[in-house]
Amino acid sequence: MRLDLTTLNLVLAVAETRSITRGAEREHLALAAASKRLSDLEARLGVNLFDRHARGVEQTDACRALVRHIRSLHASLHALESEVGEFARGIKGHLRIAANTGSIAECLPPDLAAFSQAHPQIRVSLEDLTSSEVQAAVAEGRADLGVFTPPIQDNRLTTWRYRTGELAALVPLSHELAGREQVSFEDLLAYDIVGLHAGAAVEEQMRERALELGRTLNGRLQVRGFDAIAQLVEAGLGVAILPAVPAARFAQVFKVKVLRLDEAWATRDYLLAVRSQDVLPHVVRRFVDALCPGQEPMPAALTNPSRTIPTSSTAKSKA
């Protein structure tokens, strides 16, 4: 079945305007021609895309699925146009990377800098997303590679173990826990928690662990960015759990104390992921080889690899 871009753009326009008339106007089509395109497409697909009413149209579930693919196609076409156009300026590739906040704060920047220096003709762009958003972006083709923390939630990904990191607790210098060198997660549950926005890997992990302990996570404040967390902790608005590397940096700037988090899950892996495909694009392959040299992909059936299989000697040397 062949689908033309004009008709797909019309579907998207009608879905977004909730009107065949306005959708046709947006795509510069006559109303009769637009209606015929939609009817022909519905006949070819064997489904209704819109429920038609006197005041307009509503998307069916089939239409919502199609619209997701159309938007993904638009993103791919935009990336194609941008990347091909860059060849005229001497750029030989464009690498779109999505990464979670922890990896950006803890380990990714030096590797991105080294890769860019070694491959100056490859343009690298980076987007900060939650771990679940990273996986979706890579699986749907909106990013070429992703860096995130487990669990793996999408079976369309091929993954490598990239780095190992540690979580630590952060408390104000004046806090009653500040005289200790380490704390358990249960110790922290007695206080208000300052954390990242909902959906961030650390936040989801804390909620799961609190539930296992039969306790309530007092998530008083949620912000975007570890620096904001450190400032709120310094102000005495709560305690926090965040990656140990940025926590140590904040302890040099703010009046906060870093405590070792005495939990097995405080040690966690960062995974590098690509969308599963028979042959990786050359630029993507170069990046994978640079960050995970000599490693084979992790077993596809492994859904929560954080501490369940041995770390390779290569991964250990990069931790």
Side-chain angles (χ1 to χ4, degrees):
M1 179 184 297
R2 298 182 62 183
L3 302 175
D4 66 276
L5 192 57
T6 299
T7 301
L8 294 180
N9 286 341
L10 174 63
V11 170
L12 183 61
V14 172
E16 291 180 344
T17 62
R18 300 173 67 178
S19 165
I20 296 176
T21 300
R22 290 195 296 272
E25 290 174 352
R26 196 173 93 173
E27 296 304 310
H28 307 290
L29 294 171
L31 178 59
S35 296
K36 186 174 188 308
R37 281 181 177 271
L38 292 176
S39 298
D40 289 347
L41 179 60
E42 289 177 323
R44 291 168 64 186
L45 294 175
V47 295
N48 290 328
L49 295 175
F50 298 99
D51 292 325
R52 293 159 172 83
H53 306 289
R55 294 184 177 181
V57 298
E58 295 290 340
Q59 300 178 58
T60 64
D61 289 340
C63 183
R64 292 186 183 92
L66 179 58
V67 164
R68 286 198 301 271
H69 288 288
I70 294 172
R71 286 176 174 149
S72 178
L73 175 61
H74 279 185
S76 296
L77 290 173
H78 176 75
L80 182 152
E81 182 180 13
S82 176
E83 185 169 336
V84 172
E86 287 175 340
F87 279 83
R89 302 193 297 274
I91 300 297
K92 301 303 181 184
H94 179 197
L95 200 59
R96 300 167 300 156
I97 301 171
N100 72 335
T101 303
S103 66
I104 295 173
E106 197 162 21
C107 55
L108 191 55
D111 287 334
L112 287 182
F115 182 83
S116 295
Q117 185 174 5
H119 304 87
Q121 293 180 315
I122 297 176
R123 186 164 71 86
V124 177
S125 60
L126 176 64
E127 185 175 8
D128 182 355
L129 301 173
T130 66
S131 287
S132 58
E133 290 171 341
V134 168
Q135 295 181 61
V138 175
E140 295 169 6
R142 291 180 280 110
D144 301 306
L145 299 109
V147 180
F148 63 94
T149 54
I152 299 174
Q153 300 170 340
D154 199 307
N155 60 11
R156 294 173 291 176
L157 302 178
T158 298
T159 59
W160 292 261
R161 181 171 283 113
Y162 165 49
R163 290 287 185 93
T164 299
E166 296 286 337
L167 293 173
L170 200 68
V171 302
L173 279 180
S174 58
H175 198 275
E176 58 187 332
L177 294 177
R180 300 168 59 173
E181 295 303 318
Q182 68 179 37
V183 291
S184 69
F185 179 57
E186 193 165 11
D187 293 331
L188 299 175
L189 288 175
Y191 307 97
D192 289 330
I193 303 291
V194 181
L196 292 174
H197 52 288
V202 175
E203 296 307 298
E204 297 304 312
Q205 196 166 28
M206 287 196 293
R207 293 188 185 281
E208 291 176 7
R209 302 305 177 186
L211 186 62
E212 291 173 2
L213 293 170
R215 300 284 300 277
T216 299
L217 184 70
N218 299 315
R220 181 177 181 182
L221 295 169
Q222 291 183 318
V223 296
R224 286 187 174 271
F226 293 134
D227 56 340
I229 290 177
Q231 292 180 66
L232 292 171
V233 169
E234 179 188 47
L237 293 174
V239 299
I241 291 178
L242 66 165
V245 172
R249 291 199 296 263
F250 294 140
Q252 299 175 7
V253 179
F254 303 110
K255 295 178 181 179
V256 294
K257 173 74 177 292
V258 180
L259 307 177
R260 178 178 173 272
L261 184 60
D262 187 19
E263 301 287 347
W265 52 270
T267 300
R268 61 181 191 163
D269 290 323
Y270 291 108
L271 305 182
L272 178 66
V274 301
R275 183 168 55 177
S276 296
Q277 50 197 297
D278 293 334
V279 180
L280 290 180
H282 181 64
V283 173
V284 174
R285 181 75 256 179
R286 281 193 174 190
F287 190 81
V288 172
D289 289 342
L291 268 64
C292 304
Q295 288 193 49
E296 293 296 323
M298 296 172 61
L302 200 58
T303 57
N304 191 349
S306 182
R307 302 258 55 88
T308 56
I309 64 175
T311 305
S312 69
S313 58
T314 301
K316 286 181 180 178
S317 66
K318 292 173 67 64

